[in-house]
Amino acid sequence: MKVALRDDDTCFFTSPDTLERVYHDVWDRLPVCLATVPFAIGYERKGIPAEHWHSGVSFPIEQNAALVPFLKTQLAAKRVTVALHGYTHQDYPTGYEFQAAPDPERRVREGLAHLQSTLDTSISVFVPPHNALSKRGLAAVSDAGLNLLGSFLSFRPSMRAWDSHTLQNWWRVRAYRSTSGRSKADQFVYPFVLRYARHAEFGCHSLIPGTTVESLMAGFEEARRAGGDFCVATHYWEVDQTLKDVLLRFLDRIERVPGVQFGPAEALFA
Ligand SMILES: [Zn+2]
């Protein structure tokens, strides 16, 4: 059983200290997939200076002269991998970036090229800002050949273009939902990779304020019983001592489970 860890929102506004503080005793056990924004535009959240919440100014990641060499060092040490997390991560009045931006194709293409060359790494995974994707946003990611980390279990034709694999995936998810006793309205994370013609998708379990070790264990045990894999997703900027304790206690418990293998998020798609 593969277990991976994803952390969102590394960007120009991230200081190496904050990542170090959260992951210094984690990333040698389990590499962290940093879902990174190449040209961040500020919005209201902890860790972004208030003067940039509404400035609309885009900050290329390389303008943070401390962060780029830090990330390169951690990449070389295999403590982190990098995924593409949108282009600017800006919110539009009509939706999140990959629902509402007029040019998702350009954003994926240029964001990917920029992040790969700036950090001198190869990227195979896309994490949509706010886990939100329109049909066109999904097509842009798929056309770029990037795999998706996030839960996208909508099969409505208004939400995704169907390809030769879609019907089978719809059946698999439907069968899993009914054997686990869930109705259509119940939220769940499907614990297997869903492969499509040009990309694959895998859902993550959130670690956010309020998440407990017990709730992560329940998701983990369900995935394990089904023979699936598991990925935790969090945001470094909201990991306080309480959340950090939850993460460490969860890792301590599952590390002892026979067959569990910690690895990079990219390996979920192998
Ligand atoms: Zn984000």
Side-chain angles (χ1 to χ4, degrees):
M1 179 181 190
K2 294 180 228 175
V3 173
L5 175 59
R6 166 191 135 197
D7 181 283
D8 293 358
D9 297 341
T10 289
C11 66
F12 167 82
F13 298 109
T14 308
S15 80
D17 289 355
T18 29
L19 293 174
E20 187 91 52
R21 177 181 60 75
V22 175
Y23 292 118
H24 69 97
D25 53 356
V26 171
W27 50 28
D28 286 316
R29 294 170 77 180
L30 169 60
V32 187
C33 177
L34 295 175
T36 301
V37 187
F39 294 99
I41 287 179
Y43 60 101
E44 275 188 48
R45 76 147 163 93
K46 196 180 153 205
I48 296 181
E51 67 261 36
H52 297 305
W53 285 355
H54 305 287
S55 71
V57 179
S58 159
F59 292 93
I61 192 165
E62 71 268 20
Q63 286 182 12
N64 184 332
L67 180 65
V68 170
F70 173 82
L71 290 177
K72 284 184 173 173
T73 303
Q74 304 306 340
L75 278 162
K78 300 198 185 305
R79 290 180 175 144
V80 307
T81 58
V82 169
L84 183 63
H85 188 39
Y87 183 75
T88 58
H89 205 297
Q90 75 203 94
D91 298 340
Y92 287 80
T94 49
Y96 296 126
E97 185 183 11
F98 272 74
Q99 296 173 306
D103 52 354
E105 301 81 11
R106 179 189 69 83
R107 286 167 187 258
V108 173
R109 195 173 58 243
E110 292 183 10
L112 184 63
H114 187 84
L115 214 46
Q116 291 191 134
S117 66
T118 303
L119 298 176
D120 197 16
T121 190
S122 71
I123 292 172
S124 62
V125 169
F126 185 88
V127 176
H130 303 279
N131 290 308
L133 275 177
S134 67
K135 181 178 183 175
R136 185 175 163 191
L138 174 55
V141 173
S142 179
D143 287 347
L146 294 173
N147 294 319
L148 271 165
L149 212 44
S151 295
F152 304 97
L153 294 178
S154 175
F155 290 91
R156 277 178 290 150
S158 62
M159 293 303 291
R160 67 166 72 236
W162 279 48
D163 65 33
S164 56
H165 299 244
T166 315
L167 183 62
Q168 195 191 2
N169 288 340
W170 176 74
W171 271 109
R172 290 175 68 196
V173 171
R174 189 171 184 263
Y176 183 84
R177 183 189 281 123
S178 66
T179 52
S180 63
R182 290 178 168 94
S183 77
K184 271 204 99 160
D186 291 326
Q187 292 286 317
F188 69 102
V189 178
Y190 184 71
F192 302 96
V193 170
L194 289 167
R195 295 187 192 283
Y196 292 89
R198 302 199 59 181
H199 76 281
E201 301 175 15
F202 189 79
C204 302
H205 293 255
S206 295
L207 172 63
I208 56 175
T211 302
T212 61
V213 178
E214 290 65 36
S215 63
L216 283 178
M217 283 305 300
F220 170 83
E221 282 301 336
E222 182 181 334
R224 193 179 64 83
R225 280 194 303 272
D229 298 317
F230 193 88
C231 186
V232 181
T234 193
H235 307 90
Y236 68 91
W237 51 266
E238 65 180 7
V239 176
D240 57 8
Q241 199 52 53
T242 306
L243 272 198
K244 180 63 188 287
D245 285 347
V246 170
L247 178 61
L248 288 178
R249 283 162 52 213
F250 174 66
L251 295 179
D252 288 346
R253 280 176 68 173
I254 65 171
E255 200 168 33
R256 295 194 297 262
V257 176
V260 166
Q261 226 179 347
F262 287 174
E266 289 75 5
L268 294 164
F269 300 102

